[in-house]
């Protein structure tokens, strides 16, 4: 082995270990002593000879024969006698020396610098421009021209709020004569609440935010309240909380006097950390190793994320390149070994106590319901073998008890709705509790929490938890501490750690944050290894600029908004992106590190998603609250509100380079692949937005529509060539009788599954309007199909209002409209007209108290009129589309739309609505129909024609957002399979949507 890279003259000397002298053998290498005389089981040498798959392996060329390893074990057991003399080569191992590495640039305090001298004094807008220009001039380069206003406003919008400006906003800004219009634009965007959403997402990458874990169990997630941390970050950034306080609150807000319970979500930085599954049947040492891995994650996110240092590399040995000792790692790890991830209420104990009686009452009702259900189950068992009269008695008992369950369930619902604070809001936090693994019995371990008992960790030799060394007091990293580092004494030390991180004397924190902000603006940091400011990281391209910005950032109260403003008002930021003006620039600076032009940037996954939604006019800008599934076509919120899963990350987010949320992300890679385009082209989400875009730009002639689409998508008018190409494509769809402004549709088909919706407090006077097309022969079934129902599904006798098409029953009614009140009242009314299968009909049902009327195709003369008192509670708003409340005789055919109103329509309104929906060739124009419906302020409106297949959630187009739930399952298609939709879809998937200049 001494001849295999472990002799004094080996280059390089492997692991700092020499074996060619007695002294060197006992001294060991970088990982400590190689032998423990008399104890082969504790000797690193023996471990490496056995080729431990998780440890070291020697010699590197292959494992020694078993008999040779046995000889080594016997030799160490004998005390490792060594006859070699002291004339052996000198031991070359060096002790870890922090002082020799302190001179590295990033460990020196940053300094403010005067603006350097430049030749082109007219170019800089601010101090930072002088540093950039001086570098360019030193290389014989010149800056690019300033970007035009249309380019600048799109760049600023995407940069600060992550959304595109409208075409009107672009044109207004371009024509604004105010010379300070750009400065005012930046201030307006910084004041926008959407600024916090955009920049919070950047921060969430740094802290590896997620809402669950990879492998979950009873002791590690998921985190249903994780969104509270995300929302806290959004709010803090919008409020421009000083960055030093931003960090203090995330690490130790529970120690701060100036913050309260509403600030507890800030602790999600550590409280939402990845946790591994703990199988309590494992050995105690194995479970302790699981926790040790989690401490490493906490050290890594704090050190790389906040300090730009790879401290976690010192878990097994002193850092190879940076002045970070293994003791520094264990000093920080001890802080995180002294806390517990858990949840805490956001309201006071007094508030909890005030609402506790309601929770107790609900718990009692739940217990009663459980007992009743158990009894019903027993009765059903008895009913199987009972006599007929007994079966009927049991059936009646079951009905009574089922009704009692419904009554108690209604009580529970009412209690919850009327009790403020019934659901106790909680946040994911860390508490001052040491977590230990202790034996429970011979086969199982238990997790034990020890409140207010902080833990100093031993330095585990080679990172192996089974080989503890000397105990290391909790403290800060030595190289970043003026003088001798002092132990943390205040609990776990979280507040002292936070104070040390944000101390002005710390040379890294401000530099690292300023560099990240610069990276998120320009696409690359002044240091292009943003989480590694150590020896293996990159040197800054503009070191004096980085230092000057860092110092002024601290001087200006660590304000992020001031930093944004300075960067974005600079001439450097305002440059055009069309490329360098000097022909030698690509040779001298091929990666544009000197910033001779602005870097064209690809939108990240979130901005692209939000832009596509905005183009379709369906973007929901509601802020905060529970997360949703971004892979569902019905998800209409900003992408920051998508659920982030470590276990199963969204397909869309993965496709567009979202970082792994199990670890700290220093930045995002940017890829452009054919797979991304194919994904978007086949995406139900993109198809849906294409349909919406085609609808909202359906007015005007061919040229006007093409221009409107380009303005909506790209914020500009199309070029003459783009118009010519579009016309050539779109004119293929038109025939001499076509109306080019009226798109065609293929509404969804119902095949037995219903859509359920709830419109509360609908009342006893209401109207419902449909477009339907039956596909079944009208003589095949007693009832051809019910397409609307209002009533409770729990009603045994199907009480309610049910509208459909008659079949063989009642007699002589096949194909006519049929209204039915349920099996208890059994009133029914039949229309006059036979509805031919495979034809579209406009149907309106009106209930005005006890009177019921049905209308067909806008005829003011009703198809039927009758008196039928409501057989249901007028407050009930349980509605079914495509079937009856009890699933009897569900509809087979197409339904294009359904609107419901909390008032009775007049005949004149029905006539007008039908007229408004007819195009010139007597076809139905659903866009005009929708406009007329919405003008009448419906309680809910479901424009099903928008998609050709039914999705899980059916969108309510009103502000009430009473979305329906489809009971079946089918993919979402275009809805409108016309060339306008295909044209919009192609542009939505174009590269221009993905890039900003």
């Amino acid at each position: 082995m001494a001849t295999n890279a472990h002799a004094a003259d080996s280059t390089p000397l492997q692991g700092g270990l020499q074996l060619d002298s007695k002294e060197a053998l006992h001294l060991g290498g970088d990982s400590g002593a190689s032998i423990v005389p008399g104890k082969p089981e504790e000797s690193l040498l023996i471990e490496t000879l056995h080729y431990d798959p998780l440890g070291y392996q020697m010699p590197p060329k292959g494992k020694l024969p078993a008999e040779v390893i046995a000889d080594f074990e016997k030799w160490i057991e004998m005390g490792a006698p060594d006859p070699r003399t002291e004339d052996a080569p000198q031991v070359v191992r060096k002790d870890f020396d922090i002082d020799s590495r302190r001179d590295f640039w990033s460990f020196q305090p940053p300094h403010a610098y005067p603006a350097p001298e430049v030749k082109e004094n007219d170019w800089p807008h601010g101090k930072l421009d002088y540093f950039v220009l001086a570098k360019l001039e030193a290389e014989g380069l010149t800056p690019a021209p300033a970007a035009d206003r249309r380019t600048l406003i799109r760049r600023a919008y995407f940069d600060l709020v992550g959304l595109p400006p409208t075409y009107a906003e672009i044109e207004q800004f371009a024509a604004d004569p105010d010379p300070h219009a750009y400065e005012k634009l930046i201030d307006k965007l910084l004041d926008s609440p959407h600024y916090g959403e955009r920049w919070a997402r950047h921060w969430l990458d740094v802290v590896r935010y997620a809402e669950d874990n990879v492998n979950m169990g009873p002791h590690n997630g998921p985190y249903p309240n994780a969104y509270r941390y995300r929302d806290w970050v959004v709010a803090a950034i919008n409020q421009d909380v000083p960055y030093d306080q931003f960090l203090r609150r995330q690490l130790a807000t529970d120690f701060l006097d100036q913050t309260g319970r509403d600030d507890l979500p800030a602790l999600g930085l550590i409280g939402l950390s990845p946790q591994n599954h703990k199988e309590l049947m494992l050995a105690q040492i194995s479970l302790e190793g699981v926790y040790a891995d989690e401490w490493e994650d906490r050290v890594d996110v704090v050190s790389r994320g906040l300090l730009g240092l790879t401290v976690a590399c010192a878990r097994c040995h002193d850092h190879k390149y940076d002045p970070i000792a293994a003791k520094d790692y264990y000093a920080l790890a001890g802080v995180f070994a002294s806390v517990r991830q858990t949840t805490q209420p956001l309201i006071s104990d007094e508030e909890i106590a005030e609402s506790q009686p309601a929770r107790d009452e609900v718990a009692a009702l739940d217990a009663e319901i459980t007992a009743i259900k158990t009894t019903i189950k027993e009765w059903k068992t008895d009913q199987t073998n009972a006599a007929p009269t007994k079966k009927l008695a049991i059936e009646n008992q079951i009905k009574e008890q089922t009704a009692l369950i419904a009554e108690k369930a209604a009580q529970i619902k009412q209690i919850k709705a009327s009790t403020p604070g019934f659901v106790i809001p909680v946040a994911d936090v860390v508490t001052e509790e040491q977590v230990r693994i202790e034996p429970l019995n011979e086969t199982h371990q238990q997790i034990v929490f020890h409140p207010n008992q902080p833990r100093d960790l031993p330095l585990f030799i080679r990172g192996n938890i089974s080989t503890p060394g000397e105990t290391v007091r909790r403290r800060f990293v030595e190289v970043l501490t003026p003088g001798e580092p002092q132990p943390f004494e205040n609990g776990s030390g979280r507040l002292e750690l936070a104070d040390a991180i944000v101390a002005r004397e710390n040379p890294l924190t401000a530099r690292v944050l300023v560099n990240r902000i610069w990276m998120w603006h320009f696409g690359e940091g002044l240091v292009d290894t943003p989480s590694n400011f150590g020896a293996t990281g990159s040197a800054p391209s503009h070191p004096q600029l980085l230092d000057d910005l860092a110092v002024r950032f601290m001087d200006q109260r660590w304000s992020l908004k001031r930093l944004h403003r300075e960067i974005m008002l600079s001439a450097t930021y305002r440059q055009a992106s069309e490329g360098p003006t000097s022909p030698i620039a690509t040779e001298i600076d091929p990666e544009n590190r000197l910033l001779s032009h602005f870097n064209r940037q690809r939108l990240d996954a979130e901005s692209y998603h939000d832009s596509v939604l905005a183009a379709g006019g369906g973007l929901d800008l509601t802020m905060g609250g529970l997360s949703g599934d971004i892979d569902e076509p019905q998800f209409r919120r900003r992408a920051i509100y998508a659920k982030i899963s470590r276990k199963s990350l969204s397909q869309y987010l993965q496709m567009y380079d979202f970082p792994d949320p199990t670890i700290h992300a220093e930045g995002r890679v940017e890829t452009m692949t054919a797979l991304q385009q194919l994904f978007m082209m086949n995406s139900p989400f993109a198809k849906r937005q294409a349909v919406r875009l085609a609808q909202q730009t359906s007015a005007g002639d061919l040229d006007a529509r093409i221009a409107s689409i380009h303005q909506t998508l790209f914020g500009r008018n199309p070029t003459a060539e783009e118009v010519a190409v579009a016309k050539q494509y779109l004119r293929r769809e038109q025939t001499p009788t076509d109306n080019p402004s009226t798109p065609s549709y293929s509404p969804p088909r119902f095949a037995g599954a219903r859509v359920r919706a709830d419109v509360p407090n609908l009342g006893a006077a209401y109207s419902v309007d449909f477009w339907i097309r039956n596909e079944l022969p009208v003589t095949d079934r007693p009832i051809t199909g019910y397409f609307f129902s209002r009533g409770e599904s729990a009603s045994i006798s199907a009480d309610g209002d049910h509208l459909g098409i008659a079949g063989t029953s009642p007699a002589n009614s096949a194909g006519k409209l049929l209204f039915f009140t349920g099996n208890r009242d059994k009133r029914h009314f039949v229309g006059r007209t036979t509805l031919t299968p495979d034809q579209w009909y406009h149907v309106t049902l009106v209930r005005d108290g006890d009177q019921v009327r049905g209308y067909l195709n806008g005829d003011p003369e009703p198809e039927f009129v009758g008196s039928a008192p409501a057989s249901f509670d007028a407050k009930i708003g349980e509605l079914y589309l495509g079937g009856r409340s009890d699933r009897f005789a569900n509809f087979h055919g197409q339904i294009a739309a359904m609107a419901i109103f909390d008032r009775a329509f007049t005949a004149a309104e029905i006539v007008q609505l039908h007229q408004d929906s007819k195009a010139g060739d007597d076809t139905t124009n659903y866009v005009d129909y929708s406009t007329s419906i919405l003008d009448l302020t419906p309680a809910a409106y479901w424009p099903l024609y928008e998609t050709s297949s039914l999705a899980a959630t059916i969108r309510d187009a009103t502000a009430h957002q009473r979305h329906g739930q489809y009971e079946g399952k089918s993919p979402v298609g275009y809805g409108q399979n016309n060339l306008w939709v295909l044209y919009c879809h192609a542009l939505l998937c174009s590269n221009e949507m993905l890039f900003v200049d």
Side-chain angles (χ1 to χ4, degrees):
M1 286 187 289
T3 62
N4 281 282
H6 292 288
D9 57 357
S10 297
T11 304
L13 181 63
Q14 301 298 308
L17 174 63
Q18 289 178 227
L19 300 179
D20 51 0
S21 74
K22 180 177 180 179
E23 178 190 0
L25 179 62
H26 284 264
L27 181 63
D30 295 339
S31 298
S34 58
I35 62 172
V36 180
K39 297 181 179 179
E41 69 279 0
E42 297 181 16
S43 298
L44 176 58
L45 177 63
I46 299 302
E47 178 185 321
T48 61
L49 294 181
H50 278 290
Y51 263 54
D52 182 352
L54 301 178
Y56 297 96
Q57 299 177 345
M58 290 194 344
K61 292 183 178 180
K63 186 177 180 181
L64 296 174
E67 58 271 20
V68 176
I69 297 175
D71 288 341
F72 273 102
E73 290 175 335
K74 185 176 180 180
W75 171 65
I76 293 176
E77 192 174 350
M78 295 167 55
D82 191 338
R84 288 178 289 183
T85 69
E86 298 304 320
D87 295 331
Q90 181 180 0
V91 177
V92 297
R93 180 183 173 196
K94 295 181 179 179
D95 291 331
F96 182 75
D97 181 13
I98 287 181
D99 292 335
S100 65
R101 303 180 187 182
R102 285 184 186 272
D103 293 336
F104 192 72
W105 72 269
S106 63
F107 301 118
Q108 300 301 305
H111 296 287
Y113 290 91
E117 296 290 331
V118 295
K119 299 174 185 176
E120 298 293 332
N121 282 295
D122 293 338
W123 185 77
H125 285 294
K127 187 178 181 182
L128 75 82
D129 291 324
Y130 286 91
F131 294 97
V132 173
L133 183 58
K135 281 270 191 178
L136 289 173
E137 290 179 345
E139 297 294 337
L141 303 178
T142 56
D148 61 66
R149 279 194 170 188
R150 287 182 173 84
T151 299
L152 275 180
I153 186 174
R154 277 180 62 82
R155 183 186 299 174
Y157 261 78
F158 278 115
D159 216 354
L160 283 182
V161 298
L163 295 168
T166 64
Y167 178 72
E169 287 170 327
I170 293 172
E171 291 304 299
Q172 187 277 328
F173 177 69
D176 193 336
D178 187 346
H180 301 293
Y182 179 66
E183 289 88 337
K184 292 178 180 178
L185 171 68
I186 299 304
D187 289 339
K188 182 186 82 169
L189 294 176
L190 287 171
D191 287 339
S192 166
H194 303 307
Y195 155 74
E197 293 174 317
R198 168 66 172 167
W199 284 82
R201 185 57 261 179
H202 288 312
W203 180 253
L204 296 178
D205 283 2
V206 173
V207 298
R208 71 308 182 233
Y209 166 82
E211 301 175 41
D212 61 12
N213 288 303
V214 173
N215 53 356
M216 287 171 284
H219 309 293
N220 64 324
Y223 306 125
N225 301 289
Y227 70 92
R228 297 188 193 278
Y229 172 70
R230 178 203 64 208
D231 292 350
W232 180 90
V233 174
V234 171
I237 290 177
N238 272 331
Q239 295 163 14
D240 200 21
V241 172
Y243 182 65
D244 58 343
Q245 298 307 310
F246 182 66
L247 294 185
R248 293 180 83 232
R249 289 161 71 173
Q250 290 181 76
L251 288 170
T253 191
D254 49 329
F255 282 87
L256 302 177
D257 294 333
Q258 63 269 36
T259 58
R261 283 182 178 269
D262 58 346
D263 209 52
L264 285 176
L267 296 174
L269 188 154
I270 303 300
L272 295 170
S273 294
Q275 289 181 285
N276 300 313
H277 175 59
K278 283 83 177 178
E279 177 50 67
L280 297 181
M281 291 180 65
L282 292 175
Q284 181 178 359
I285 194 69
S286 298
L287 289 170
E288 289 176 347
V290 173
Y291 277 107
D293 291 341
E294 293 177 0
W295 304 332
E296 180 181 342
D297 163 80
R298 294 19 161 197
V299 171
D300 184 63
V301 74
V302 168
S303 62
R304 284 204 296 149
L306 312 185
L307 298 170
L309 284 182
T310 56
V311 176
C313 289
R315 175 180 174 181
C316 298
H317 49 68
D318 295 334
H319 203 290
K320 295 288 187 182
Y321 307 102
D322 295 333
I324 304 167
K327 289 182 179 180
D328 289 319
Y329 170 83
Y330 286 100
L332 294 183
V335 174
F336 304 112
S338 301
V339 298
R340 171 192 178 190
Q341 286 178 242
T342 184
T343 59
Q344 280 192 342
L346 297 179
I347 58 178
S348 67
D349 294 342
E350 292 75 19
E351 290 174 289
I352 294 173
E354 188 175 337
S355 56
Q356 189 58 44
R359 282 186 292 277
D360 293 340
E361 187 176 356
V362 166
L365 288 168
D366 278 330
E368 292 173 17
I369 289 174
T370 301
I372 294 172
K373 287 181 176 179
T374 301
T375 301
I376 290 175
K377 186 176 180 181
E378 293 171 353
W379 285 346
K380 286 182 176 180
T381 302
D382 296 340
Q383 191 180 31
T384 305
N385 300 317
T389 55
K390 181 67 173 176
K391 282 186 178 181
L392 182 60
I394 293 175
E395 181 65 28
N396 290 332
Q397 287 179 310
I398 290 174
K399 289 179 181 179
E400 290 176 3
Q401 293 303 306
T402 301
L404 185 58
I405 289 175
E407 180 183 325
K408 292 183 182 297
Q411 283 182 264
I412 290 173
K413 185 176 180 181
Q414 191 275 330
I415 292 169
K416 289 181 176 180
S418 62
T419 305
F422 180 88
V423 177
I424 301 173
V426 299
D428 294 278
V429 302
V430 289
T431 54
E432 295 289 289
E433 296 178 82
Q434 181 187 151
V435 182
R436 299 303 295 261
I437 297 294
E438 298 178 4
L440 177 63
N441 52 42
E442 292 182 357
T443 60
H444 286 73
Q445 315 302 323
Q446 61 181 334
I447 301 173
V448 181
F449 308 110
H450 299 280
N452 300 312
Q453 294 184 28
R455 179 182 182 187
D456 289 325
L457 292 175
L459 192 158
F460 295 111
I461 306 301
R462 303 184 298 281
N464 189 336
I465 200 160
S466 63
T467 56
E470 64 176 296
T471 299
V472 181
R473 295 291 303 276
R474 287 165 291 113
R475 57 168 175 77
F476 195 46
V477 180
E478 183 177 355
V479 73
L480 301 179
T481 305
E484 190 71 21
Q486 298 300 308
F488 294 156
E489 302 290 351
N490 186 4
S492 62
R494 285 183 288 123
L495 180 58
E496 291 155 295
L497 172 61
D499 288 340
I501 289 172
V502 301
R504 191 174 179 101
E505 297 78 19
N506 185 333
L508 286 172
T509 305
R511 276 188 179 125
V512 168
L513 191 278
V514 165
N515 187 66
R516 290 197 194 281
I517 298 294
W518 188 277
M519 174 185 71
W520 289 323
H521 279 302
F522 289 95
E524 190 168 50
L526 297 169
V527 177
D528 63 9
T529 53
S531 295
N532 186 359
F533 275 46
T536 58
S538 299
S541 59
H542 299 72
Q544 291 188 352
L545 171 58
L546 176 61
D547 276 16
D548 193 69
L549 284 174
V551 170
R552 287 189 290 114
F553 174 58
M554 292 186 284
D555 289 343
Q556 294 174 346
R557 297 183 57 253
W558 302 75
S559 169
L560 292 179
K561 288 189 176 183
R562 289 188 180 185
L563 181 58
H564 288 305
R565 198 173 192 278
E566 177 171 0
I567 290 173
M568 296 185 72
L569 295 183
S570 69
T572 305
Y573 182 85
R574 296 196 224 186
Q575 292 181 97
S577 64
E578 61 263 27
T581 56
S582 170
I584 63 170
T586 52
E587 180 181 341
I588 295 175
D589 186 25
E591 296 181 354
N592 195 33
R593 297 287 290 143
L594 300 180
L595 298 166
S596 61
H597 61 276
F598 191 82
N599 293 315
R600 192 180 196 216
Q601 296 187 40
R602 200 206 77 180
L603 296 183
D604 56 27
E606 293 88 346
S607 291
Y608 183 37
H609 170 274
D610 296 351
S611 297
V612 172
L613 259 181
L619 180 61
D620 179 358
L621 292 174
T622 303
M623 294 181 67
L626 293 169
S627 302
D629 185 354
I630 198 172
D631 287 338
E632 284 292 329
Q634 297 80 22
F635 182 81
R636 296 172 50 236
R637 302 187 66 196
R638 295 201 67 181
I640 188 174
Y641 300 114
K643 180 180 179 181
I644 304 302
S645 172
R646 294 179 178 124
K647 181 178 178 64
S648 181
L649 186 61
S650 150
Q651 288 185 330
Y652 169 78
L653 293 177
Q654 288 184 75
M655 186 62 61
Y656 286 96
D657 306 319
F658 191 89
D660 180 356
T662 63
I663 56 174
H664 157 75
E666 69 171 14
R668 295 195 184 183
V669 298
E670 288 187 3
T671 63
M672 283 294 295
T673 67
L675 190 60
Q676 290 170 339
Q677 296 295 79
L678 288 170
F679 178 87
M680 206 62 178
M681 288 173 65
N682 290 287
S683 161
F685 163 70
K687 291 178 181 179
R688 175 165 293 201
Q689 304 320 309
V691 170
R692 294 178 64 90
L693 179 59
Q695 291 170 358
Q696 71 179 32
T697 55
S698 60
D701 60 20
L702 197 62
D703 289 88
R705 291 189 70 184
I706 294 169
S708 179
I709 290 169
H710 275 75
Q711 291 166 3
T712 300
L713 292 178
F714 310 130
R716 62 171 179 82
N717 285 310
T719 64
E721 182 181 3
E722 287 170 330
V723 171
V725 170
K727 283 183 174 180
Q728 183 180 8
Y729 175 71
L730 293 166
R731 278 175 174 159
R732 292 168 25 199
E733 184 179 55
Q734 299 179 45
T735 66
T737 59
D738 281 338
N739 182 344
S741 66
T742 304
S744 59
Y745 302 91
S746 179
R749 283 178 167 78
F750 286 75
R754 311 168 304 177
V755 171
R756 171 175 172 157
D758 190 68
V759 181
N761 301 313
L762 193 55
Y766 73 95
S767 305
V768 59
D769 201 78
F770 320 80
W771 281 91
I772 64 161
R773 177 177 175 269
N774 168 49
E775 295 179 344
L776 289 182
V778 296
T779 57
D780 278 8
R781 305 198 302 183
I783 304 297
T784 300
Y786 286 101
F787 50 82
F788 169 75
S789 179
R790 177 186 179 189
E792 290 186 282
S793 59
S795 173
I796 297 173
S797 54
D799 296 336
D801 287 354
H802 313 299
L803 183 64
I805 300 172
T808 58
S809 177
N812 304 316
S813 301
K816 297 178 180 179
L817 288 178
L818 171 67
F819 177 84
F820 183 56
T821 60
N823 295 323
R824 183 162 55 90
D825 188 47
K826 293 188 177 180
R827 299 194 194 201
H828 69 274
F829 311 118
V830 178
R832 298 177 286 110
T833 306
T834 299
L835 278 62
T836 305
D838 298 320
Q839 288 191 17
W840 282 100
Y841 292 92
H842 182 196
V843 180
T844 308
L845 173 67
V846 178
R847 173 180 277 280
D848 192 358
D850 289 350
Q851 188 187 67
V852 179
R853 306 188 298 272
Y855 296 84
L856 188 67
N857 289 338
D859 188 340
E861 191 68 29
E863 283 285 304
F864 59 79
V865 178
S867 177
S871 59
F872 53 86
D873 186 337
K875 294 181 180 179
I876 294 297
E878 192 174 321
L879 309 178
Y880 294 91
L881 181 61
R884 206 167 82 171
S885 58
D886 61 349
R887 292 188 170 87
F888 174 73
N890 286 352
F891 186 67
H892 286 252
Q894 291 175 279
I895 302 178
M898 170 181 163
I900 192 157
F901 300 80
D902 56 4
R903 62 182 178 83
F905 269 10
T906 65
E909 286 178 309
I910 295 170
V911 172
Q912 186 62 52
L913 184 60
H914 188 73
Q915 291 176 351
D916 290 346
S917 65
K918 305 307 290 184
D921 57 357
D922 207 36
T923 61
T924 303
N925 186 323
Y926 291 115
V927 174
D928 290 347
Y929 173 75
S930 293
T931 300
S932 298
I933 283 288
L934 293 172
D935 285 345
L936 293 171
T937 60
Y941 172 48
W942 300 279
L944 288 91
Y945 67 87
E946 291 182 337
T947 56
S948 61
S949 298
L950 290 159
T953 300
I954 307 300
R955 184 179 74 89
D956 173 13
T958 73
H960 303 300
Q961 301 289 286
R962 291 163 176 155
H963 307 307
Q965 300 302 315
Y966 179 50
E967 295 175 338
K969 186 175 183 181
S970 66
V972 176
Y974 277 111
Q976 302 171 230
N977 289 307
N978 66 2
L979 295 182
W980 281 104
V981 176
L982 297 173
Y983 176 65
C984 290
H985 193 181
L987 294 185
L988 279 170
C989 298
S990 67
N991 278 347
E992 188 169 352
M993 281 291 293
L994 260 177
F995 285 89
V996 60
D997 287 313

